[in-house]
Amino acid sequence: MYSDINDLHINLPEDIEKVKWYGDFEQAAKMIDLRLDTPIPEALKKRLRYEKEILSRIPSQYPYSWEDGLKLLQARLKDFQEEELQKLWEENAAEWIYIKGQIHFKDDFFDNLIKTRSWIADRVINPEDRPSEERGKMLNRVIAKMKTQGSIAYRFRIKSTMTIRKESEQEGQEIKVYLPVPVEYAQIKNFRLLSVTICLNGKERLASEEEYTLAAPEFPHRTICFHTTHHVGQTYSVEFTYENHMTYVSPKREEVLDGQPVMYLEEQLPHIRFTPYLREVTAQVVGEEKNPLIKAKKIYDYITSHVMYSFVRTYITITQIPDYVATCWKGDCGFQALLFITMCRIAGVPARWQSGLYTTPDSVGSHDWAQFYVAPYGWLFADCSFGGSAYRAGEEERREFYFGNLDPYRMPAASQFQHPFYPPMKWNRNDPYDNQVGEAEYKERSLRSEEYETLHVMVEAEEILH
């Protein structure tokens, strides 16, 4: 169950661990069942029960055998050779696992390669595969505007819809569907719920007040929760508007106060954990520095210059995320944010989670970032993945901006890491840590991410002129 994630820091028995990473997931699950029938400590039982959930989710994310992966790359890249794939594999650049002792690559490994390595992106055959440079240009424009004006504000109107995939629909079953909405705090103002609708056979109707619950304005993982009866073909939508107000700050070492608050400095199992290794890395990065602003900046600079952005398998399948990043030196936005938060807390700098959607006038996508606290400035932002992207592109001004600031294209739906929903889910979530694409459950089980699709549509975005 949801509380069992706190025991993920417990190591698996070695025999089960060996079978798992050989890639015989069914055998590993069988060995867990055998172990659960023996008199072992309750904490280990909870760890093993949750491991069965993890084992069931890993293999489907790695559909490409070595031969299939090579064919894919050769079909989409000019003159790609097997020796190049061998090198990418050895460098851990092409995400992979063993399945029954054979290498399999992740479903999005090609997209990750062209996103992060220009020498590969330059060789794509289909022009539509090439990553666009427009996002960087757009960010440079809005950053320049924030610096000139001192602040910027946008009003967004978003519609989010969840569709249950046909093979997972259950006619007449009780269902709960959770869709993210903005947490009303920090940079968010003037949230307004426009509609909560259910559509069946092309006919959309307003959900009754008995069919949904809107979590409180500052609830840490804020959602609209539908609780109704599902019918085949039925979809669930919420439409809302909100404002994002961002003020540009340029924090200075000499202005930092001697007295700093003591908060958001604790461990939070299983991920925000002060392991001996992370303590050592933090000590190496921070050195003898005492100023909390400079400590945070040293950590930010280290992560953005050392960690390569990488798509990752679902968070539920990785048992200690900051250690993963700090040993593999790769990870997505949330992985990098968690490493930053953990290292800041080890260094005595308050840090916390913020995440939700990246909302430009043209598109909406999932994104995570962090906040850290330095008096007299209060809560400041740190987006390591955007900073790292700027670093790789040689955009130092943009990299500097994302230490302390954010662009206005954000919708925080989660203000804390690893917080339950309201009303709570009965079964395990696909992502027990975050809240971006929603969750769903029937009375007897939760739905996995491949069983539903959430579409966020930007209906309207406009700058608020002062």
Side-chain angles (χ1 to χ4, degrees):
M1 297 303 295
Y2 186 81
S3 61
D4 291 349
I5 60 176
N6 294 333
D7 293 296
L8 285 178
H9 66 283
I10 298 172
N11 292 330
L12 287 176
E14 187 185 57
D15 57 334
I16 296 174
E17 187 85 47
K18 287 186 288 190
V19 173
K20 172 184 177 178
W21 291 122
Y22 171 76
D24 193 340
F25 300 101
E26 292 179 0
Q27 179 62 34
K30 180 180 178 181
M31 293 167 70
I32 287 174
D33 287 337
L34 291 172
R35 200 64 54 89
L36 289 172
D37 285 337
T38 64
I40 58 177
E42 183 60 31
L44 182 56
K45 282 188 175 182
K46 290 193 290 184
R47 171 69 180 90
L48 291 174
R49 283 195 294 263
Y50 209 84
E51 183 62 30
K52 287 188 67 177
E53 184 77 19
I54 292 172
L55 293 172
S56 69
R57 292 172 182 261
I58 293 178
S60 63
Q61 299 178 57
Y62 294 83
Y64 298 112
S65 67
W66 181 276
E67 293 75 17
D68 292 337
L70 179 60
K71 288 178 183 177
L72 172 67
L73 294 176
Q74 289 178 332
R76 301 178 76 174
L77 297 174
K78 296 174 184 176
D79 304 319
F80 191 84
Q81 304 299 316
E82 185 169 7
E83 293 77 12
E84 294 177 286
L85 179 56
Q86 178 75 24
K87 190 171 189 297
L88 290 168
W89 174 71
E90 290 173 350
E91 294 174 350
N92 200 22
E95 172 63 22
W96 66 280
I97 60 168
Y98 283 126
I99 298 181
K100 297 289 182 67
Q102 300 298 312
I103 293 169
H104 279 67
F105 295 106
K106 196 171 181 299
D107 46 14
D108 53 7
F109 87 107
F110 171 77
D111 297 324
N112 193 75
L113 289 173
I114 63 173
K115 176 183 175 70
T116 58
R117 288 160 175 83
S118 60
W119 65 272
I120 294 181
D122 289 341
R123 293 165 61 185
V124 298
I125 295 171
N126 185 348
E128 294 182 1
D129 285 339
R130 292 194 180 98
S132 172
E133 297 179 358
E134 290 306 310
R135 188 182 82 164
K137 295 176 181 178
M138 176 190 67
L139 293 175
N140 288 343
R141 289 193 297 268
V142 78
I143 288 169
K145 197 168 189 177
M146 284 181 65
K147 289 182 174 181
T148 300
Q149 296 179 170
S151 65
I152 198 168
Y154 267 77
R155 181 182 297 109
F156 299 99
R157 181 174 177 174
I158 292 175
K159 183 173 183 178
S160 300
T161 301
M162 181 181 289
T163 302
I164 311 301
R165 297 194 187 280
K166 187 175 182 179
E167 61 273 16
S168 299
E169 294 196 277
Q170 294 185 16
E171 175 65 33
Q173 291 296 310
E174 294 179 23
I175 194 171
K176 285 195 287 188
V177 167
Y178 296 81
L179 288 171
V181 294
V183 182
E184 296 181 60
Y185 84 127
Q187 67 267 51
I188 300 301
K189 301 182 185 300
N190 299 324
F191 168 82
R192 188 157 61 96
L193 185 64
L194 300 178
S195 65
V196 183
T197 57
I198 297 173
C199 184
L200 180 61
N201 298 324
K203 296 180 180 179
E204 191 173 61
R205 65 174 178 84
L206 292 174
S208 69
E209 292 185 0
E210 290 74 29
E211 288 182 293
Y212 73 89
T213 299
L214 173 63
E218 294 192 12
F219 194 77
H221 277 200
R222 196 180 187 207
T223 63
I224 281 277
C225 174
F226 294 82
H227 30 80
T228 187
T229 301
H230 184 71
H231 299 287
V232 173
Q234 189 162 280
T235 63
Y236 307 87
S237 299
V238 58
E239 189 167 350
F240 53 86
T241 183
Y242 68 94
E243 296 174 7
N244 186 320
H245 292 252
M246 297 302 307
T247 299
Y248 177 70
V249 295
S250 181
K252 297 177 175 56
R253 168 197 284 266
E254 60 271 18
E255 293 179 356
V256 173
L257 301 179
D258 291 335
Q260 295 290 326
V262 180
M263 59 179 181
Y264 289 96
L265 294 173
E266 69 279 1
E267 293 181 286
Q268 185 181 358
L269 298 178
H271 295 294
I272 302 176
R273 189 155 61 98
F274 304 163
T275 64
Y277 173 64
L278 288 179
R279 288 181 185 273
E280 185 172 329
V281 172
T282 303
Q284 176 185 327
V285 171
V286 172
E288 299 300 318
E289 183 60 57
K290 303 299 182 186
N291 187 302
L293 176 67
I294 308 306
K295 286 182 183 180
K297 183 61 162 58
K298 283 174 174 278
I299 293 168
Y300 173 85
D301 286 347
Y302 190 78
I303 293 173
T304 55
S305 62
H306 284 72
V307 177
M308 174 64 78
Y309 186 91
S310 177
F311 298 142
V312 295
R313 63 181 182 268
T314 51
Y315 283 29
I316 194 175
T317 64
I318 297 179
T319 56
Q320 220 286 310
I321 290 173
D323 263 18
Y324 173 99
V325 184
T327 52
C328 297
W329 296 111
K330 67 177 185 178
D332 71 354
C333 53
F335 277 42
Q336 295 183 44
L338 278 175
L339 180 59
F340 177 83
I341 291 167
T342 303
M343 291 178 68
C344 278
R345 291 189 183 188
I346 290 172
V349 180
R352 68 184 186 186
W353 180 259
Q354 193 178 79
S355 73
L357 301 177
Y358 177 60
T359 58
T360 73
D362 300 321
S363 63
V364 183
S366 301
H367 192 49
D368 308 321
W369 57 95
Q371 290 182 288
F372 64 101
Y373 193 100
V374 176
Y377 300 106
W379 286 108
L380 301 171
F381 297 100
D383 190 326
C384 293
S385 68
F386 270 50
S389 175
Y391 173 82
R392 292 192 299 274
E395 295 277 0
E396 191 60 27
E397 183 178 356
R398 191 163 82 226
R399 179 194 183 198
E400 289 292 318
F401 172 84
Y402 285 106
F403 177 77
N405 296 277
L406 281 183
D407 56 73
Y409 307 130
R410 312 292 172 118
M411 188 202 89
S415 61
Q416 290 186 30
F417 186 71
Q418 194 177 309
H419 197 282
F421 288 159
Y422 179 81
M425 286 184 66
K426 177 181 179 181
W427 303 104
N428 287 324
R429 283 160 54 177
N430 284 295
D431 189 342
Y433 312 115
D434 211 351
N435 172 28
Q436 296 167 323
V437 298
E439 301 272 355
E441 66 177 4
Y442 291 123
K443 191 173 183 178
E444 73 280 4
R445 70 177 184 90
S446 61
L447 278 70
R448 297 193 174 185
S449 56
E450 63 269 20
E451 294 185 286
Y452 60 88
E453 180 180 12
T454 301
L455 179 64
H456 301 298
V457 175
M458 180 60 69
V459 179
E460 185 179 11
E462 60 177 348
E463 185 179 350
I464 302 171
L465 301 177
H466 298 286

